[in-house]
Amino acid sequence: DAGITQSPRHKVTETGTPVTLRCHQTENHRYMYWYRQDPGHGLRLIHYSYGVKDTDKGEVSDGYSVSRSKTEDFLLTLESATSSQTSVYFCAISDDSGGNSYNEQFFGPGTRLTVL
Amino acid sequence: DAKTTQPTSMDCAEGRAANLPCNHSTISGNEYVYWYRQIHSQGPQYIIHGLKNNETNEMASLIITEDRKSSTLILPHATLRDTAVYYCIVRARRGTYKYIFGTGTRLKVLA
């Protein structure tokens, strides 16, 4: 399995509180992604990173920010959590280096966030 | 990226082959077909990908029609542990970050 960890794995917080989720990889992959998964919506991309300090928005980025100061870490911050951000958050990585890589994504175990 | 269409759910008897179809009629020439699955609440797991030739690995086989407008993922001898949601995705190999997962096919393997 690809070396991807997420922390925390579970979190309960209150509306208006800032929350930071961490994704850590040991694969030295260039791309990192944050998704959220909600019933009936499948996986939706929040933000992604294509290198250190290089990030861009996905399809549901409002209310979220990200940072990537090192290759191995990608942080997702909810600046002021709302109940609509209650979800399961998945981090993923991929390698776009060509060769034997076909840019398949490898996923972390997920973080279950509840905003009360 | 091309859009895919998959059945919402399927059942398969344990030990039999599970054939999961996917339509991708707007696929472009440089787009690959990728399959992932998600078991219960775990993160999605990569299964297989292909461009135009049939592919096989230790997990599954992928059959892509000659016109590339549809494909079938085959799990040759389904087990209860194959019960999962299966996602078919089409995208270029490089140069794009997008993976549009959709809602997939919920496969239930029956004892």
Side-chain angles (χ1 to χ4, degrees):
Chain A
D1 289 340
I4 311 168
T5 56
Q6 293 184 230
S7 59
R9 294 291 314 281
H10 301 272
K11 186 171 182 65
V12 179
T13 191
E14 294 187 350
T15 298
T17 304
V19 176
T20 296
L21 308 182
R22 180 183 183 233
C23 177
H24 178 78
Q25 61 146 329
T26 58
E27 305 296 320
N28 200 36
H29 281 0
R30 177 184 176 191
Y31 285 84
M32 298 186 76
Y33 311 79
W34 277 108
Y35 291 88
R36 61 177 290 176
Q37 187 170 35
D38 306 291
H41 287 278
L43 282 150
R44 293 182 291 174
L45 183 66
I46 305 171
H47 282 279
Y48 74 104
S49 170
Y50 48 95
V52 173
K53 298 192 189 310
D54 293 323
T55 65
D56 206 348
K57 296 178 179 180
E59 57 181 312
V60 289
S61 59
D62 288 347
Y64 301 95
S65 62
V66 290
S67 66
R68 191 168 178 200
S69 58
K70 299 184 290 185
T71 299
E72 57 267 35
D73 289 326
F74 193 32
L75 304 180
L76 177 70
T77 297
L78 289 65
E79 289 138 15
S80 178
T82 67
S83 59
S84 64
Q85 293 176 311
T86 292
S87 187
V88 179
Y89 291 85
F90 288 102
C91 173
I93 65 174
S94 68
D95 179 16
D96 193 30
S97 62
N100 290 328
S101 164
Y102 283 80
N103 211 359
E104 57 268 43
Q105 291 193 350
F106 301 97
F107 284 79
T111 294
R112 185 172 296 274
L113 176 67
T114 302
V115 183
L116 302 175
Chain B
D1 293 308
K3 183 178 177 180
T4 62
T5 305
Q6 299 177 252
T8 302
S9 63
M10 296 180 62
D11 291 340
C12 176
E14 188 178 21
R16 303 295 294 269
N19 297 290
L20 293 95
C22 179
N23 287 321
H24 32 79
S25 58
T26 59
I27 191 170
S28 300
N30 67 337
E31 289 182 321
Y32 285 69
V33 180
Y34 294 78
W35 282 84
Y36 287 75
R37 72 179 182 184
Q38 187 173 24
I39 297 173
H40 193 40
S41 56
Q42 298 176 22
Q45 176 190 24
Y46 164 80
I47 301 173
I48 198 168
H49 73 272
L51 181 62
K52 54 183 177 181
N53 298 320
N54 298 337
E55 302 288 345
T56 296
N57 63 19
E58 64 278 4
M59 291 182 68
S61 294
L62 174 61
I63 308 298
I64 302 173
T65 57
E66 193 167 342
D67 63 7
R68 303 209 323 122
K69 293 184 177 182
S70 65
S71 60
T72 301
L73 179 74
I74 301 172
L75 307 178
H77 305 287
T79 71
L80 299 178
R81 288 175 294 181
D82 292 321
T83 293
V85 177
Y86 288 78
Y87 298 98
C88 167
I89 299 157
V90 292
R91 54 162 294 176
R93 175 184 176 185
R94 302 186 68 186
T96 176
Y97 66 89
K98 286 186 179 180
Y99 265 75
I100 301 173
F101 277 82
T103 52
T105 296
R106 186 172 297 276
L107 174 70
K108 187 173 183 179
V109 180
L110 306 172

